[in-house]
Amino acid sequence: MFCGVKTKYYTAGIDSTLPTGECDPELYEAAKVDSLLKWAQDAGKRTGLVTTTRITHATPSAAYAHIAERNWECDGKIPSEYQGCMKDIARQLVEESPGKDINVVFGGGQKQLGFATGDDDSCERTDGLNLTEIWENDRKAEGVSHRFVINRGQMEELSTEDKVLGLFGLGHMAYDLERDTGADGPPSIVNMTVKAIQMLQRGENGFMLIVEGGRIDHAHHDNFAKLALSEAIRFEEAISAALAMTSRDDTLIVVTADHSHSLTMNGYPNRGNDILGFAHDEPDKPIYETLTYANGPGYNVHRKNGSIDSDEYLWNDPTLMEDRDETRYMHFAPIYEETETHGGEDVAVYAIGPQSHLFNGVFEQSYLAHAISCIGKFGPNPTLCSNAPVSAKSTSILIMAFLYILNRLI
């Protein structure tokens, strides 16, 4: 989706010629592919990357890194025999192009960049590097205004800096329903999107911004429907903010996802019932939740004593009924999986702005990057849309949400 090239599971920023989880220096260099952010930078556009996950996580990493295994976010994750072949994802962000050239970087990942340590389940650096200090020293050497920030209050103070790095969590950022909403806490995805657009709009040649609402996915994996829907609502608000801050005349906005989930909206719920509740309260009919998952950890929650060997459901257990109001209540899943799986159906792509008709119909995910290249007149397809009466100066891409924003396309 970011590079326009089909590749292998668990890899990012490389084509399919390099084996997953391995590294040969010659094969690695030949396998590297450029992303939308690199294309935009080469065209003189300002660029931004926003996510609610670790900034080194799978989706954002594909915008700047070239990696044979998505979990190589820290140096210690790379097998010893490949340590000299490729840098970990965090180092690629700070030390290599296009990562080091991104104007606005917002997300989680303080541990991965060596700024902090903690007891969350994400990796820590073993090389002792504080990549945030390296990032700041490199910006000083470039002679550009810059700032590194770690909370909403500091982020809101940003104004004229040319490059900014914001890390708002040890690992992933907190779910919006659970985050500290004060100035010392992390910003929301809406806060980050608005600030990113404000800072990128100063460029004369437009900008390219990628926004990921990545914690929607994480909540679904745990069967946390309430958290997933809340994250989706915040993502929708980020889209609305992006629309309000840009013009349909010169800004292309694309919204899509990289996959679906096994979440099911079951039919025949009573009118006006709680979307997070039961479909009805009629004792003579089978009881079921309006929202369930095809699989996941919610399997155990709904069985007597949490046993996978029990076929007895706990629909009428008073304790379970009380737990339904909890933020992390797990919805029903008929098959146990430690983490719920993705779904396999096609996902939607929504687009508005110059040449947005190019996203009509059914197409492969790799088409997205080429269509944006055509509309933005950069990258591998700069002339395919040259006869179009209007092109996009800036593009925003919001994914799973992903939001692609490509601005100033006239």
Side-chain angles (χ1 to χ4, degrees):
M1 295 175 72
F2 287 171
C3 303
V5 175
K6 291 280 189 174
T7 189
K8 292 180 178 179
Y9 188 46
Y10 263 63
T11 67
I14 58 175
D15 62 27
S16 61
T17 59
L18 186 70
T20 303
E22 299 181 18
C23 190
D24 172 272
E26 185 174 343
L27 289 177
Y28 175 51
E29 289 301 318
K32 291 180 179 179
V33 291
D34 290 334
S35 73
L36 287 163
L37 288 189
K38 183 65 166 64
W39 301 343
Q41 289 173 358
D42 289 346
K45 295 183 181 294
R46 291 171 64 81
T47 53
L49 181 61
V50 173
T51 181
T52 53
T53 71
R54 299 187 295 268
I55 197 64
T56 54
H57 203 234
T59 295
S61 74
Y64 61 83
H66 309 283
I67 202 75
E69 222 286 358
R70 58 173 281 181
N71 290 315
W72 294 355
E73 299 179 51
C74 306
D75 61 296
K77 287 291 186 178
I78 301 179
S80 57
E81 62 266 35
Y82 303 135
Q83 286 281 344
C85 184
M86 71 176 65
K87 296 179 180 179
D88 60 84
I89 295 173
R91 284 190 64 190
Q92 290 191 43
L93 171 66
V94 172
E95 299 177 355
E96 305 289 338
S97 291
K100 67 184 181 68
D101 300 317
I102 302 173
N103 299 95
V104 179
V105 177
F106 290 152
Q110 294 175 0
K111 286 176 60 179
Q112 289 65 47
L113 272 71
F115 175 76
T117 60
D119 58 0
D120 76 325
D121 60 0
S122 62
C123 66
E124 292 189 19
R125 306 204 63 79
T126 61
D127 55 13
L129 292 178
N130 182 341
L131 296 176
T132 64
E133 289 184 353
I134 293 175
W135 182 88
E136 290 189 283
N137 290 335
D138 288 347
R139 300 296 80 75
K140 291 177 183 177
E142 291 175 355
V144 299
S145 58
H146 62 279
R147 187 174 177 186
F148 167 55
V149 298
I150 60 172
N151 58 47
R152 184 180 63 81
Q154 293 175 351
M155 188 199 74
E156 295 293 353
E157 294 172 354
L158 298 171
S159 58
T160 61
E161 292 83 358
D162 185 63
K163 291 184 178 179
V164 296
L165 171 64
L167 301 178
F168 307 113
L170 286 175
H172 299 311
M173 293 178 62
Y175 286 114
D176 194 76
L177 283 179
E178 299 176 341
R179 70 183 177 91
D180 176 358
T181 58
D184 292 333
S188 69
I189 190 172
V190 181
N191 300 149
M192 294 189 292
T193 301
V194 168
K195 179 57 68 173
I197 293 175
Q198 288 174 344
M199 303 201 71
L200 293 174
Q201 282 178 326
R202 299 199 310 270
E204 295 181 358
N205 295 320
F207 64 87
M208 174 80 191
L209 172 63
I210 298 175
V211 180
E212 181 201 17
R215 303 234 62 193
I216 301 171
D217 168 79
H218 298 165
H220 281 313
H221 280 308
D222 286 328
N223 295 161
F224 295 151
K226 183 175 183 178
L227 280 175
L229 294 187
S230 171
E231 293 294 307
I233 290 170
R234 297 291 87 76
F235 183 73
E236 180 185 26
E237 293 171 354
I239 297 170
S240 296
L243 287 168
M245 297 177 69
T246 57
S247 168
R248 304 293 70 75
D249 294 333
D250 67 356
T251 303
L252 172 70
I253 295 183
V254 182
V255 182
T256 188
D258 50 350
H259 57 76
S260 65
H261 277 268
S262 73
L263 177 70
T264 297
M265 183 178 294
N266 297 304
Y268 311 132
N270 286 344
R271 183 181 299 276
N273 84 311
D274 183 355
I275 187 66
L276 297 172
F278 294 113
H280 62 81
D281 57 2
E282 302 172 43
D284 59 333
K285 294 182 179 180
I287 298 176
Y288 59 90
E289 294 175 317
T290 303
L291 299 181
T292 62
Y293 290 85
N295 58 70
Y299 177 95
N300 285 348
V301 173
H302 294 270
R303 280 168 168 74
K304 188 173 289 185
N305 299 321
S307 171
I308 63 174
D309 297 322
S310 174
D311 290 329
E312 294 187 69
Y313 296 116
L314 298 177
W315 295 124
N316 298 317
D317 182 277
T319 302
L320 181 63
M321 299 300 287
E322 292 173 4
D323 290 346
R324 294 188 59 78
D325 293 330
E326 296 295 323
T327 301
R328 296 195 172 214
Y329 168 79
M330 290 183 180
H331 280 242
F332 173 72
I335 299 173
Y336 177 76
E337 290 283 353
E338 183 178 357
T339 179
E340 173 263 358
T341 68
H342 294 160
E345 65 268 25
D346 288 350
V347 296
V349 179
Y350 303 93
I352 190 171
Q355 302 294 301
S356 55
H357 66 277
L358 293 180
F359 299 96
N360 189 30
V362 179
F363 42 81
E364 295 293 313
Q365 70 271 53
S366 51
Y367 169 82
L368 283 172
H370 292 282
I372 293 171
S373 166
C374 175
I375 297 169
K377 297 181 180 179
F378 54 53
N381 308 298
T383 61
L384 288 181
C385 297
S386 59
N387 293 326
V390 179
S391 62
K393 183 173 182 181
S394 297
T395 300
S396 290
I397 310 173
L398 285 88
I399 306 178
M400 182 63 169
F402 297 102
L403 169 63
Y404 300 72
I405 304 177
L406 179 58
N407 166 256
R408 216 159 292 174
L409 299 182
I410 295 178

